[in-house]
Structure formats: structure tokens, C-alpha cells
């Protein structure tokens, strides 16, 4: 109905506004952190970009960024190639591009604007930058890795210094793109100035903290029950009680299809277009040791 449509549009606008503001804050925080790391430790800085259509090139780029950061590099950004159309005005940096080829040698959507910007760059506009390209494609197509080859040539034609021959990830290889990526990485890392992996007899610090849940005691001193697990509830959602959980098919049918009845008398539970219902089961205390 028109009212629900208006509500949906309003909620969507509010959500997008919040997301944009969050991304701006994160971008600012990332920039400040990267500058501090460069000043304090003179760490190798990398600008990692990707031209992706289905998301594979982005996955590879983010994997590389995480690995380089673990090895001590400062990551200026890991973003779409379309986001660096101002590359000539940026401070000198080693650019690592992960470029997929789609269709019959087509440039992916995430790199089309950058392709157009490159056409306007002069021969020495990127002379302060260096670069490495890893191309992803399928050898079954005639124009194999054509997009990667295009950007590899254009970056050099605009004055950037190639640090390593273009890497190739072939979807037809036994392990897909990982076969070529694994072969390219040992050459690319030192060429880009990525520090060698430090050997240590001490295990790395755990990326998580394990705490043991304690028995809930209402008479205990403050803080004693701080590890009591709380009821799961995603942000922006509300909890409602399930009053009926009934199996629909016969017991000998292999699939378990359920009929749920949800009670909304205790909570305000509007249901709009695009909403989803999730179930969060709880263990019965008398059945859990």
C-alpha cells in the first residue's frame, strides 16, 4: 500500500544516510592512522585497487591487503579502481591492481570510470607511482585477461613504474586463480617492498579473548555475573515469543517443515515489505548441565 511504500523509502533513506556518515568517519580514521604509521615507522605504503564484476577480484585484493598489513605495510586504501580517478594528484605510492575480465574481454564495472580517466592522463602523470597488476580471467575465452593487460600497459604508458610482471589467475587451473596467485606472490612481495615474514618462537597473539561463563547468582557481588550470556537480538530488531512450533509433514518425511505462530501482543511488531523473521532458540535451564 502507499503508506508502507512511503515508510520503506523513508527508512531506506535514513539507513543510507547513516551508512554514508559511518563510511566517512572510517575513511578519516583510516587516513589519520596510515599517516601516523608512516611517520612513526616509515612503513611501506600500498594502494590496493580492484576492478571486479562478480566480486572475485575484490576477494583477492582484500586477501592481499590483509596479508600485506600483517607483514607490516600501511594500506592507504583497498577500494574500487573507480575511486582512484584522481591518482595523478595523489602522493606517490605503490599501486597494486587486481583486475578481472568479464564477457569477451570487457572491462568490469568497478573499473570503467578509471579507464575513462586514464584516457585523459598525460605520459608522465603517474611518474611518481609504481605498480603491480594481477589479472584474473578464464583461458577458455579468446581475450584472456584482456582487462588486466589493458591496465598493465596503460599504467606504464602514463609513467608509472612496473615493479613486477603481470600475474595471471586462470579459472581453468586446478586451484582456479589461486594457482597463479601463489606463483606470483613470492615475486611481487619483495618487489613491492613488503617486509619479510618475521620468524618467532613465540606464538602470535590470539585475535580473540576467551572467558568462561559463570553461574548466575543474584546475591553475588557486583560484576560477578558480568559474563552471563544475553539474549541474542540483532540491532534494530525486536524479540517476540513463539507460541506454536508444529511439524507439518509426516514423521517419516525426510524434510522438516515447521509452522510457527508468533505472539505480538507484548511487543510492537510491525511487518513491512523486505522484513525478515529469525528464530533464536534457547536451551531450557533444567536440561542443560
Amino acid at each position: 500500500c502507499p503508506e508502507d511504500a512511503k515508510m520503506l523509502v523513508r527508512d531506506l533513506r535514513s539507513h543510507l544516510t547513516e551508512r554514508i556518515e559511518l563510511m566517512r568517519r572510517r575513511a578519516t580514521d583510516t587516513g589519520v592512522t596510515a599517516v601516523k604509521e608512516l611517520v612513526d615507522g616509515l612503513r611501506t605504503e600500498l594502494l590496493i585497487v580492484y576492478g571486479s564484476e562478480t566480486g572475485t577480484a575484490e576477494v583477492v585484493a582484500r586477501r592481499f591487503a590483509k596479508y600485506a598489513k600483517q607483514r607490516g605495510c600501511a594500506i592507504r586504501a583497498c577500494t574500487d579502481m573507480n575511486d582512484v580517478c584522481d591518482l595523478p594528484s595523489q602522493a606517490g605510492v605503490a599501486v597494486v591492481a587486481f583486475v578481472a575480465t568479464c564477457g569477451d574481454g570487457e572491462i568490469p564495472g568497478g573499473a570503467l570510470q578509471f579507464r575513462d580517466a586514464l584516457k585523459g592522463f598525460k605520459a608522465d602523470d603517474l611518474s611518481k607511482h609504481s605498480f603491480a597488476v594481477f589479472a584474473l580471467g578464464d583461458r577458455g575465452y579468446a581475450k584472456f585477461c584482456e582487462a588486466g593487460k589493458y591496465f598493465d600497459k596503460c599504467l606504464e604508458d602514463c609513467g608509472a613504474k612496473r615493479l613486477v610482471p603481470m600475474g595471471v589467475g586462470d579459472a581453468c587451473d586446478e586451484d582456479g586463480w589461486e594457482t597463479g596467485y601463489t606463483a606470483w606472490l613470492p615475486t611481487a612481495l619483495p618487489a613491492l617492498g613488503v617486509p619479510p615474514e618475521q620468524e618467532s618462537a613465540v606464538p602470535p597473539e590470539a585475535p580473540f579473548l576467551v572467558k568462561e561463563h559463570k553461574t548466575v547468582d543474584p546475591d553475588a557481588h557486583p560484576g560477578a555475573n558480568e559474563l552471563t550470556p544475553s539474549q541474542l537480538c540483532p540491532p534494530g530488531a525486536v524479540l517476540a515469543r513463539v507460541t506454536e512450533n508444529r511439524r507439518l509433514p509426516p514423521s517419516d518425511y525426510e524434510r522438516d517443515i515447521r509452522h510457527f505462530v508468533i505472539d505480538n501482543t507484548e511487543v510492537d511488531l510491525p511487518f513491512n515489505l523486505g522484513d525478515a523473521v529469525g528464530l533464536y532458540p534457547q536451551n531450557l535451564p533444567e536440561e542443560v548441565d
Side-chain angles (χ1 to χ4, degrees), residues 16-189:
L16 290 176
T17 300
E18 292 176 359
R19 290 289 299 169
I20 292 172
E21 183 60 31
L22 177 61
M23 292 172 68
R24 284 175 178 168
R25 290 200 302 269
R26 286 180 175 175
T28 302
D29 293 343
T30 301
V32 171
T33 302
V35 171
K36 182 178 185 301
E37 290 173 343
L38 285 171
V39 172
D40 293 345
L42 297 177
R43 302 164 70 182
T44 298
E45 185 183 24
L46 302 176
L47 172 60
I48 302 172
V49 296
Y50 49 83
S52 188
E53 190 71 32
T54 63
T56 303
E58 180 179 356
V59 168
V60 185
R62 294 194 179 281
R63 175 172 169 176
F64 180 85
K66 180 178 179 180
Y67 186 62
K69 188 174 183 178
Q70 290 173 344
R71 294 275 287 264
C73 292
I75 308 301
R76 180 182 294 185
C78 181
T79 187
D80 260 341
M81 297 182 80
N82 287 340
D83 293 335
V84 294
C85 294
D86 62 342
L87 194 56
S89 64
Q90 292 193 29
V93 68
V95 181
V96 191
F98 295 84
V99 188
T101 298
C102 56
D104 187 22
E106 301 291 333
I107 303 293
L112 287 173
Q113 295 176 29
F114 183 66
R115 178 203 61 185
D116 295 340
L118 273 173
K119 294 177 181 179
F121 293 172
K122 297 182 177 63
D124 60 348
D125 276 358
L126 302 182
S127 58
K128 57 188 171 183
H129 300 297
S130 55
F131 75 95
V133 173
F134 184 81
L136 295 92
D138 186 329
R139 200 174 294 275
Y141 289 86
K143 296 182 179 180
F144 175 59
C145 287
E146 192 69 20
K149 295 174 184 176
Y150 174 83
F151 286 112
D152 186 70
K153 181 179 184 303
C154 286
L155 288 170
E156 185 176 44
D157 289 346
C158 292
K161 177 184 177 182
R162 181 188 288 106
L163 297 175
V164 63
M166 185 184 79
V168 174
D170 185 3
C172 294
D173 283 340
E174 182 177 356
D175 294 322
W177 59 264
E178 292 202 43
T179 301
Y181 179 77
T182 303
W184 174 78
L185 205 58
T187 304
L189 291 176

